[in-house]
Amino acid sequence: MRRIRLSDYTVTTLAGQTGLAGTTDGIGQAATLPAIIGMGYDFRYLYLPDSGSQVIRRVDVVTARVDTIAGQLATTGANDGPASSATFNSPRGAASDGVNVYIGAYNNNRIRVINTLTWQVSSLATFPAAALEGNLAIIQNAIFAADFSGATIKRID
C-alpha cells in the first residue's frame, strides 16, 4: 500500500510489500496485503475488504499497523455476531462513519456493518437480485451502493 504526499508528490510504502500478497498482520512492510479492490477511510484507519481471504483488514495510517478486524480466514458465509467469528462472502468495498464500517459483500448481495465500539457484525440490507460490486459511499446519513448487475445505485436510509 502506497502513500502519496500531496504537497510534493513523494511516494512511500505505508504497509505491505510490492509483489508479495498475503494475510500477515504487522507493522509497515512486516505486514502482507491482498490485491485490494476497494477501501474505506475514517480519518485514522483504512478499511480493506479482502475478497480472496474473506476477512476485513484495518490499516492505521499513523503507525502503519495492519490488523485483521473481522471474518474468518478462507471461510465464506454471512454469519453475524462477534467480529472474530463472523463470516463474509467476497467483501469488496467499505465506507465508515467513524463508528461503523459498512462492507459490501458481492457474492451474497449484502451490506454488512462492523460496529467498532462493540466489534459486532450485523447485516444491514440484502438485495436478492443485485450484484453489489462493493463500491459504497456515505452521504448525508445515507449509504449508497453500486449494483453491478442492475446498473443502478441503491440507497439505504
Side-chain angles (χ1 to χ4, degrees):
M1 171 168 285
R2 309 287 274 171
R3 177 188 337 217
I4 303 170
R5 187 171 44 210
L6 297 178
S7 60
D8 62 5
Y9 303 107
T10 302
V11 179
T12 57
T13 299
L14 175 64
Q17 301 174 43
T18 301
L20 182 61
T23 57
T24 303
D25 291 342
I27 297 173
Q29 292 186 4
T32 56
L33 298 170
I36 299 164
I37 294 175
M39 62 182 161
Y41 179 63
D42 72 359
F43 300 100
R44 173 68 189 257
Y45 299 105
L46 289 168
Y47 296 96
L48 313 175
D50 182 343
S51 190
S53 298
Q54 313 304 333
V55 296
I56 311 303
R57 312 284 298 285
R58 180 176 77 174
V59 180
D60 184 321
V61 298
V62 175
T63 66
R65 178 157 190 81
V66 178
D67 290 301
T68 301
I69 62 165
Q72 297 181 48
L73 195 60
T75 302
T76 61
N79 295 333
D80 292 336
S84 60
S85 60
T87 55
F88 294 86
N89 195 342
S90 290
R92 291 197 178 178
S96 176
D97 62 12
V99 173
N100 296 302
V101 180
Y102 301 91
I103 304 294
Y106 180 74
N107 281 343
N108 56 17
N109 306 316
R110 294 173 189 245
I111 299 200
R112 311 290 297 287
V113 182
I114 304 167
N115 181 301
T116 61
L117 299 177
T118 63
W119 295 108
Q120 292 290 310
V121 175
S122 59
S123 295
L124 176 66
T126 302
F127 303 99
L132 295 178
E133 185 59 34
N135 297 313
L136 301 177
I138 299 173
I139 303 169
Q140 297 178 348
N141 297 317
I143 300 168
F144 294 84
D147 175 359
F148 180 72
S149 65
T152 60
I153 302 293
K154 305 288 188 191
R155 178 183 175 137
I156 301 109
D157 291 307

